[in-house]
Amino acid sequence: MADEDQQRGNKAKRHGMLKMYYGIEEDQIGGASLDPCDINGAHFKADTYLARLIKEKSLTELMDEESKTLTQIKALDSDMQTLVYENYNKFISATDTIRKMKNDFRKMEDEMDHLATNMSSITEFSANISSTLQDRRQQITKLSGVHSLLKKLQFLFELPARLKKCIEMQAYSQAVRYYSKAKRILHQYQHMPSFQGISEDCNKIIQELCQLLRQQFKNNESTPKQLAECVDLLLQLDEPAEVLCEEFLSHARQKIDKEDLMVLDRQIRLQCGEELKIEGESPAQAYLGVAPMDILEFVDSGCNGFLSNICLVIAFYNDTFLNKHQEDDNTDAMALKKLVFFVNELMEKYFNYVKKRVQLEKETGDNTILVRALDRFHRRLQAMNKLLPDTDFSRAGTEIVSRAAKDRVGHYLQTLRQNFADCLTDIRQNLAAPRLVGKQDSSAQLSDLLHSTQSTILEQIKSVLGNLQAFTASDITFAMKPYFRGPFCTHDVREGLIVGFLNHINSVCEEFCEGTGDRGSVPPALLLILSRLCLDFEGSTISYLLTLTEEQFLLEEHPSHPLTPVTDLCNKAKDTAQRLLNHYVKVQGLSISQMLRKSVETRDWLNTIEPRNVRAVMKRVIEDITAIDIQVGQLYEEGCRKERSSDSSRRTHPHSYSVSQNKKPGQWNYAPSIDNSLMSNIQKLFSEKIEIFSTVEFSKVSVLTGIVKISLKTFMECVRLRTFGRYGLQQIQVDTNYLQLYLWRFVSDENLVQVLLDEIVGSTVHRCLDAVLMEQSVIDLICERG
């Protein structure tokens, strides 16, 4: 019975170890279900479970449960076999390990026994030594302290000699270290005569050392590292920190002014054309001071010279005055304030030199060198901000970069304006150039001049935009900054350059319409070309240029930088084109009107002979209008006309202007005259009003109609101011009939010409003393012969 209890206990122990190995918690087992039907529980009873299944399940469900149970049994068997195989290998490995451990422990027991024997022997020897030296231990300790004190006294007595030797060898740091080591002791025992003499000698030597350090400190040939070392030694010798700060920064300022800023100043003066005389300098300094540098070399010189040296000064200053006095807040604040003032003062000078040099960069070619120089300048300033966090030089640097970019945009705008002025000059020269006999008229070249001007303007703008893209390249540091890119692309390039140039073209064209000063003698053909140019700009060019700009510079509209709408620019260009075309019609109409006015005013219409021919001035009018028609046709389309009558070449005067054939010469029939005037006024009431100076449409017919209206209106007003005889009236008949034969071809509505010419003849009849009209057949014969 006892054996069975022992076996049961061993089994429970083994189960516990297995549960511990597999991580099975006791509380989980204890907290398991007490349901006898829980197949996974500890209190599972097969008979109860089976009876419950038979009672609750159908035959089909029992068969499914059987197959499910068989599947689970097979899976558990497989898992158990796998577990046995894995643990079998572990058990074998554990058995081997235990066997090796037994062998090792046997050897270790022998070594521990041997070690215990040695330790007991050592303990015995130590006890013997202690008992032997116990009487002399206090004496040895006392002698050791005396020896140490004598060494210190020997160091103190030898200190003046040591300090002199260090000064002779220029080992100033070693001398300061010796003195700092003994200074507290000498100060503590200075009341003793022996130490008082040593202290006085050391103080004299240290004063001499301070003078040597100050001389080296004031030496212009000293490097910043040597200066920092001198300052550090003087601070260790209790020199005033504020005075040393001022002297250090003053010396650094003199060196930077003389070696770095002077070179930049000379380069500025060289670029301005001054001649420099340099004496007493090394060849390298003379070369740097006299040889002209481009903008990239200038910036490199400033970065490698001025900025590098000022960074060294800041670093040494921080290590010397700031990082070594953290316990004294007042000293740190004073030193930092002096450093910030020193750096700001020198950086302001440097920024002024860079501004002047960038402003002198007037080359209109590739901007790559300028942009690379500005990028290098901007990068170096950002590095300085990390060295001196209390200052922000990147803002001032960005302003210089932005100003340089704005200046370049302004320069390119001026270039585009000059190019446009050159294009206008070329057009004038081509229009004024003499033509060879037999060649096509000058008006035939208007389309070529227009296309040449358009292509020149577009190519110049594209070239300028390509050059300005260097400021927005992806490898440029400041180009990625929103505070530069946004204003530059939006305000400078789009608004300042493109929109500004388009507004300039409009303003120049509008000046031609003023007709005052130098603009008063504008060739009419130039007005016509500019009108078509502005109209083409309104149609496609403006949209193309703005779209090109937005694509190349990735423009994004911002509330602080509103963009000028495309529709506003197009409307302004169209208005300018309209004004130019109206002015062209006015100029050409007045030119023909001048001929007609002189032909009327210089002739004696009372005593003229019977007309036999058309006057030459009428032929000249037709020739000029024909030339204008060809000229306008080069640039504008035909336009719409009203349907003309079947016999436009025939002339039929109203009945109101007919006179009695039986009337005697020299006699007036007043009653018919009153009737004729009344009939004329009645006809005018029902006829459409003709507006002479109306807005001209962008077509050839509309332009010619406007010119013809102005010419005929002038002709009519001149006739109303003259008095005519019989043959004068008949000459007007012949001239107006001749004009009718040709002018209807140029106007949009032939009735307009008919009405104006009828009014001219009617006005002549009213101003005629002997109103006898010529037969229409005779008029036709004269006009055909003329």
Side-chain angles (χ1 to χ4, degrees):
M1 191 71 180
D3 294 339
E4 292 180 359
D5 293 338
Q6 185 178 1
Q7 291 179 357
R8 192 178 296 109
N10 293 335
K11 185 176 181 181
K13 185 178 180 180
R14 288 195 300 272
H15 284 180
M17 294 179 66
L18 287 173
K19 291 175 183 177
M20 185 184 301
Y21 177 78
Y22 288 107
I24 301 175
E25 301 293 339
E26 290 295 333
D27 56 353
Q28 292 179 357
I29 298 174
S33 176
L34 300 177
D35 186 8
C37 295
D38 185 6
I39 196 170
N40 295 321
H43 302 277
F44 174 71
K45 294 182 180 180
D47 295 338
T48 305
Y49 179 72
L50 183 59
R52 182 179 178 180
L53 285 179
I54 294 172
K55 183 178 179 180
E56 295 179 355
K57 304 288 184 178
S58 62
L59 179 62
T60 305
E61 291 176 345
L62 287 174
M63 294 177 68
D64 294 338
E65 190 70 24
E66 179 187 9
S67 61
K68 180 180 178 181
T69 304
L70 290 174
T71 304
Q72 291 179 354
I73 291 171
K74 291 179 181 179
L76 289 174
D77 288 341
S78 176
D79 294 341
M80 187 179 297
Q81 291 177 5
T82 303
L83 184 61
V84 169
Y85 291 150
E86 291 179 352
N87 290 334
Y88 179 74
N89 293 330
K90 293 179 181 178
F91 289 148
I92 293 174
S93 174
T95 304
D96 296 338
T97 303
I98 292 171
R99 187 181 297 110
K100 292 180 181 179
M101 288 176 64
K102 285 182 179 181
N103 296 331
D104 293 339
F105 275 121
R106 289 173 184 172
K107 295 179 182 179
M108 189 179 296
E109 288 178 356
D110 296 338
E111 292 178 357
M112 290 299 291
D113 293 339
H114 184 65
L115 179 61
T117 304
N118 291 337
M119 289 298 293
S120 61
S121 176
I122 291 171
T123 303
E124 183 180 355
F125 284 132
S126 176
N128 294 334
I129 292 172
S130 297
S131 61
T132 304
L133 298 177
Q134 185 175 4
D135 298 336
R136 300 181 182 179
R137 180 182 299 169
Q138 295 179 355
Q139 187 178 359
I140 291 173
T141 303
K142 184 178 180 180
L143 290 175
S144 177
V146 172
H147 180 265
S148 177
L149 181 58
L150 289 174
K151 286 184 68 175
K152 293 179 180 179
L153 291 174
Q154 183 182 4
F155 176 78
L156 291 176
F157 284 116
E158 293 178 355
L159 182 59
R162 286 173 180 264
L163 294 178
K164 289 182 179 180
K165 186 67 174 177
C166 289
I167 292 175
E168 290 176 0
M169 297 176 61
Q170 296 184 353
Y172 301 140
S173 59
Q174 184 69 25
V176 172
R177 189 160 53 250
Y178 286 156
Y179 179 74
S180 300
K181 186 177 180 181
K183 180 173 62 175
R184 186 177 58 83
I185 299 175
L186 290 175
H187 181 71
Q188 184 177 358
Y189 297 101
Q190 63 181 352
H191 60 280
M192 300 177 65
S194 58
F195 287 100
Q196 185 178 4
I198 295 174
S199 178
E200 291 176 355
D201 293 341
C202 289
N203 289 335
K204 291 180 181 180
I205 296 173
I206 291 301
Q207 289 179 1
E208 181 182 353
L209 176 60
C210 289
Q211 292 179 358
L212 292 175
L213 289 175
R214 286 187 178 278
Q215 289 178 2
Q216 184 176 352
F217 183 73
K218 296 178 180 179
N219 186 7
N220 292 331
E221 301 298 328
S222 299
T223 63
K225 186 176 181 180
Q226 293 174 342
L227 293 177
E229 183 180 357
C230 291
V231 171
D232 186 30
L233 296 177
L234 290 172
L235 287 173
Q236 294 181 33
L237 295 175
D238 296 332
E239 290 290 325
E242 184 174 0
V243 176
L244 291 177
C245 287
E246 292 179 355
E247 292 182 357
F248 179 81
L249 296 178
S250 176
H251 183 269
R253 180 183 288 107
Q254 292 177 2
K255 287 182 65 65
I256 292 176
D257 283 340
K258 182 178 180 181
E259 296 181 1
D260 300 321
L261 294 180
M262 186 178 293
V263 174
L264 302 181
D265 180 67
R266 287 174 178 172
Q267 287 297 321
I268 297 295
R269 292 161 62 188
L270 276 175
Q271 292 293 331
C272 293
E274 296 185 19
E275 295 183 1
L276 303 179
K277 295 181 180 180
I278 301 176
E279 298 178 358
E281 292 189 355
S282 63
Q285 291 177 334
Y287 175 78
L288 290 176
V290 176
M293 302 178 184
D294 60 22
I295 184 65
L296 184 59
E297 293 174 338
F298 181 87
V299 171
D300 283 341
S301 176
C303 291
N304 299 331
F306 172 79
L307 292 180
S308 297
N309 288 334
I310 202 170
C311 287
L312 288 176
V313 170
I314 294 172
F316 287 129
Y317 189 92
N318 288 334
D319 294 339
T320 305
F321 295 103
L322 297 178
N323 298 337
K324 293 188 178 181
H325 296 280
Q326 297 296 331
E327 70 280 357
D328 190 353
D329 295 337
N330 294 329
T331 303
D332 284 349
M334 177 274 300
L336 182 60
K337 182 178 180 181
K338 291 182 178 294
L339 177 63
V340 171
F341 179 78
F342 163 80
V343 173
N344 287 336
E345 185 179 6
L346 288 179
M347 290 301 294
E348 185 177 356
K349 292 183 180 180
Y350 175 63
F351 286 149
N352 289 332
Y353 285 130
V354 174
K355 286 179 184 177
K356 292 179 182 178
R357 182 61 184 85
V358 171
Q359 290 174 356
L360 293 173
E361 194 68 15
K362 297 181 180 179
E363 294 296 330
T364 58
D366 193 5
N367 288 323
T368 305
I369 296 179
L370 174 62
V371 173
R372 284 175 56 195
L374 294 174
D375 181 56
R376 197 165 300 178
F377 169 74
H378 186 266
R379 288 173 186 264
R380 196 60 181 269
L381 289 181
Q382 288 183 326
M384 277 201 65
N385 285 339
K386 299 178 182 178
L387 188 62
L388 194 62
D390 293 329
T391 56
D392 185 12
F393 299 115
S394 60
R395 183 179 300 275
T398 303
E399 290 179 358
I400 293 177
V401 173
S402 300
R403 183 73 252 177
K406 186 182 290 292
D407 289 342
R408 296 303 294 168
V409 171
H411 181 76
Y412 282 127
L413 177 59
Q414 188 62 32
T415 302
L416 291 177
R417 290 177 176 178
Q418 184 60 42
N419 176 260
F420 182 64
D422 295 339
C423 290
L424 296 182
T425 303
D426 293 340
I427 294 175
R428 284 174 174 266
Q429 291 177 351
N430 278 277
L431 293 176
R435 306 295 168 186
L436 297 176
V437 178
K439 287 196 71 174
Q440 196 175 8
D441 191 71
S442 60
S443 60
Q445 295 186 353
L446 296 186
S447 58
D448 296 337
L449 294 176
L450 174 64
H451 296 322
S452 174
T453 303
Q454 286 178 336
S455 60
T456 301
I457 293 174
L458 287 178
E459 291 301 323
Q460 286 291 327
I461 293 177
K462 289 180 181 179
S463 175
V464 167
L465 291 178
N467 290 334
L468 289 176
Q469 275 189 293
F471 284 94
T472 59
S474 58
D475 58 339
I476 302 302
T477 305
F478 60 81
M480 299 296 106
K481 304 296 181 182
Y483 52 77
F484 170 81
R485 189 180 188 91
F488 173 72
C489 297
T490 304
H491 185 267
D492 295 341
V493 177
R494 187 188 188 275
E495 298 297 315
L497 182 68
I498 303 301
V499 176
F501 180 58
L502 294 175
N503 290 334
H504 172 73
I505 292 178
N506 287 330
S507 62
V508 171
C509 293
E510 288 176 356
E511 289 180 8
F512 287 117
C513 300
E514 300 297 331
T516 58
D518 296 336
R519 304 293 187 187
S521 58
V522 181
L526 178 60
L527 297 173
L528 193 63
I529 293 175
L530 292 179
S531 173
R532 185 66 207 191
L533 178 68
C534 292
L535 189 62
D536 290 343
F537 269 56
E538 183 267 339
S540 60
T541 307
I542 291 177
S543 300
Y544 169 74
L545 290 176
L546 294 180
T547 303
L548 179 66
T549 304
E550 292 171 0
E551 290 177 353
Q552 290 185 352
F553 291 89
L554 303 177
L555 295 182
E556 295 181 1
E557 188 170 1
H558 195 271
S560 60
H561 302 287
L563 301 179
T564 304
V566 180
T567 53
D568 292 353
L569 296 173
C570 292
N571 292 336
K572 190 172 182 180
K574 187 174 182 180
D575 293 342
T576 304
Q578 186 67 64
R579 291 188 61 188
L580 285 168
L581 195 61
N582 292 342
H583 191 62
Y584 173 80
V585 171
K586 179 181 177 182
V587 170
Q588 294 288 45
L590 293 179
S591 176
I592 297 176
S593 298
Q594 186 72 7
M595 289 191 300
L596 293 172
R597 185 179 64 84
K598 289 183 178 179
S599 69
V600 174
E601 293 177 351
T602 58
R603 191 179 184 92
D604 185 6
W605 294 99
L606 287 173
N607 301 317
T608 185
I609 62 175
E610 185 178 358
R612 292 291 183 265
N613 294 300
V614 179
R615 287 190 299 153
V617 67
M618 298 303 163
K619 299 179 181 179
R620 176 67 184 275
V621 167
I622 298 300
E623 291 175 359
D624 288 355
I625 292 179
T626 303
I628 294 172
D629 178 76
I630 297 173
Q631 192 178 70
V632 176
Q634 295 293 316
L635 303 178
Y636 285 100
E637 298 178 355
E638 182 71 19
C640 299
R641 298 176 183 268
K642 288 186 179 180
E643 294 184 1
R644 61 188 181 88
S645 63
S646 59
D647 189 10
S648 298
S649 63
R650 292 192 57 81
R651 168 109 180 144
T652 306
H653 292 289
H655 176 73
S656 60
Y657 301 133
S658 61
V659 294
S660 175
Q661 296 294 328
N662 299 324
K663 182 180 175 183
K664 294 183 179 180
Q667 294 182 354
W668 280 90
N669 188 352
Y670 294 100
S673 175
I674 296 175
D675 295 339
N676 292 341
S677 299
L678 181 61
M679 290 298 296
S680 175
N681 292 330
I682 292 174
Q683 286 184 354
K684 289 181 180 180
L685 288 176
F686 291 97
S687 62
E688 295 182 2
K689 181 180 179 181
I690 300 175
E691 188 176 354
I692 303 301
F693 294 98
S694 60
T695 301
V696 182
E697 297 178 0
F698 296 104
S699 64
K700 184 178 73 170
V701 170
S702 180
V703 172
L704 270 295
T705 301
I707 296 173
V708 169
K709 286 193 296 184
I710 294 174
S711 304
L712 296 183
K713 181 65 175 178
T714 303
F715 191 13
M716 181 174 60
E717 296 299 328
C718 292
V719 165
R720 289 176 176 175
L721 297 176
R722 304 292 292 177
T723 303
F724 295 85
R726 175 192 299 179
Y727 297 134
L729 170 62
Q730 294 177 358
Q731 184 65 56
I732 294 296
Q733 277 186 281
V734 173
D735 294 341
T736 54
N737 191 82
Y738 181 80
L739 293 177
Q740 172 64 22
L741 290 175
Y742 295 98
L743 288 183
W744 67 269
R745 298 181 177 91
F746 304 112
V747 297
S748 59
D749 185 6
E750 65 174 305
N751 292 328
L752 182 145
V753 177
Q754 182 78 30
V755 170
L756 289 175
L757 292 177
D758 285 345
E759 288 187 5
I760 292 172
V761 175
S763 298
T764 307
V765 169
H766 289 305
R767 299 291 298 173
C768 183
L769 300 179
D770 185 12
V772 178
L773 297 177
M774 181 178 288
E775 292 291 337
Q776 185 62 38
S777 59
V778 178
I779 295 174
D780 294 339
L781 182 61
I782 295 175
C783 291
E784 291 175 2
R785 188 177 59 193

